Amino acid sequence: MSEGLKIYEKAVTTERSAEKLARRHGYNNVVQLAESLPPGALVLDVGSGASLFSNAVAMLRPDAAFVNFDYSYNNPAILADVVKDSPANVEYVPGDVIKLGEIYDPESFDAVYSYWLLQHLSLDDPEPAMVAARAIFEATKPGGLISIGPIKNGHRLPSMRPQRTFRIIKDDSTDADAFAEAVVAATRLQGAELRLQRFSNEVATPFFGTTRYTKQQGRIPHVYDSENGDYVSPISRRGVSILGDLALVAAQHAWRTRSSAR
Ligand SMILES: C[S@@+](CC[C@H](N)C(=O)[O-])C[C@H]1O[C@@H](n2cnc3c(N)ncnc32)[C@H](O)[C@@H]1O
């Protein structure tokens, strides 16, 4: 079903809150993260998706400029949704991180943040994530911060606990290759988390027909209703029917994968 789609066309877009991401990136809160940036900083969030991270930091730091960079912004509906209510010092750039160097000069950014991007790029093979990590390293200024997460937890089951990031200050002690090697080793999924993410990318994204198939509404994640182009509660009549159809597609996928593995 998803044959022909590139890995990043299947990567689900999410919307983690700014406070959650600030903590994952190693700060107590958004205010502390915002205060850590140098005056007039140029900041990149790679694979920013629908997260409000840059927005929240940008409002506290009008002197700084923020770039949200994500492949999913090629989808006009996703782009229109994320630019809504965004401060003027946040720019949204659609693109593939692997080609970051074609858009930005080397050593452009004072800080680069990225959360749940490399995991998508290393699902089957570490190489695309390695290329992305090198591009991120090159785009960062000497003395700049790079924070990429989450680092893997090594447990058999998906972690319910907050996860940290791989953080460095770019200096002469490392180069792009060594950085890429270390960050991909630290972030590449294993075990149950790897299988869950593959399922999401291979089955759920093609089923919903969008990389953004859940959306937080209040405390409950709603699911995308591709017939009506809207998000519905998973416990509504329509939501239950969508999840039932998805379960069927998942079972068919599991069966096909099982028979082709024989
Ligand atoms: C799981 S979401 C994370 C979003 C946000 N950082 C957060 O934590 O909520 C992963 C994002 O990476 C983006 N992505 C995947 N592959 C990409 C690529 N090659 N270049 C740029 N963005 C990519 C997807 O479109 C998606 O929005």
Side-chain angles (χ1 to χ4, degrees):
M1 198 196 296
S2 59
E3 273 150 49
L5 287 181
K6 300 191 184 83
I7 35 179
Y8 39 86
E9 289 168 325
K10 296 183 274 181
V12 59
T13 301
T14 53
E15 50 183 9
R16 284 184 188 84
S17 79
E19 284 297 339
K20 182 185 277 184
L21 286 180
R23 286 195 299 274
R24 305 276 164 98
H25 284 296
Y27 299 87
N28 292 335
N29 48 42
V30 174
V31 173
Q32 195 189 43
L33 185 147
E35 285 170 354
S36 75
L37 296 168
L42 182 57
V43 181
L44 175 66
D45 182 2
V46 205
S48 40
S51 155
L52 296 175
F53 175 70
S54 290
N55 282 9
V57 186
M59 283 194 249
L60 295 168
R61 288 297 303 268
D63 62 304
F66 296 76
V67 175
N68 272 355
F69 187 94
D70 198 288
Y71 188 80
S72 72
Y73 302 158
N74 284 304
N75 176 328
I78 292 177
L79 184 61
D81 195 23
V82 295
V83 299
K84 253 188 336 219
D85 306 324
S86 183
N89 55 338
V90 181
E91 186 189 5
Y92 291 82
V93 179
D96 179 359
V97 57
I98 283 164
K99 300 191 179 143
L100 202 58
E102 292 175 18
I103 305 176
Y104 297 101
D105 289 335
E107 306 184 352
S108 289
F109 294 95
D110 296 276
V112 181
Y113 301 98
S114 183
Y115 204 80
W116 264 102
L117 166 65
L118 290 195
Q119 282 77 7
H120 288 290
L121 300 178
S122 58
L123 273 187
D124 299 320
D125 166 6
E127 194 47 30
M130 297 280 287
V131 178
R134 280 186 217 112
I136 289 171
F137 187 88
E138 300 294 356
T140 309
K141 281 184 189 169
L145 169 80
I146 308 177
S147 177
I148 297 182
I151 52 176
K152 67 185 168 213
N153 64 50
H155 298 296
R156 268 170 200 263
L157 294 171
S159 175
M160 301 302 286
R161 282 180 292 161
Q163 294 163 319
R164 289 172 298 123
T165 61
F166 185 95
R167 281 167 61 98
I168 66 157
I169 299 294
K170 182 174 169 180
D171 63 17
D172 292 341
S173 68
T174 192
D175 61 17
D177 289 334
F179 169 74
E181 194 80 50
V183 73
V184 174
T187 56
R188 200 171 175 207
L189 295 176
Q190 296 170 314
E193 285 182 315
L194 177 67
R195 287 194 291 280
L196 261 182
Q197 197 58 56
R198 279 202 182 126
F199 168 79
S200 164
N201 288 27
E202 294 298 329
V203 180
T205 304
F207 171 82
F208 286 108
T210 172
T211 63
R212 192 177 187 194
Y213 52 76
T214 62
K215 193 169 176 179
Q216 200 78 21
Q217 296 197 354
R219 294 186 75 82
I220 305 175
H222 283 42
V223 287
Y224 186 63
D225 176 357
S226 51
E227 264 176 35
N228 300 309
D230 201 2
Y231 292 83
V232 295
S233 161
I235 49 171
S236 64
R237 185 186 285 253
R238 181 79 191 123
V240 169
S241 150
I242 291 168
L243 293 178
D245 289 348
L246 174 63
L248 196 62
V249 172
Q252 285 164 348
H253 172 82
W255 181 255
R256 268 201 315 276
T257 324
R258 181 173 168 262
S259 2
S260 63
R262 279 184 185 155

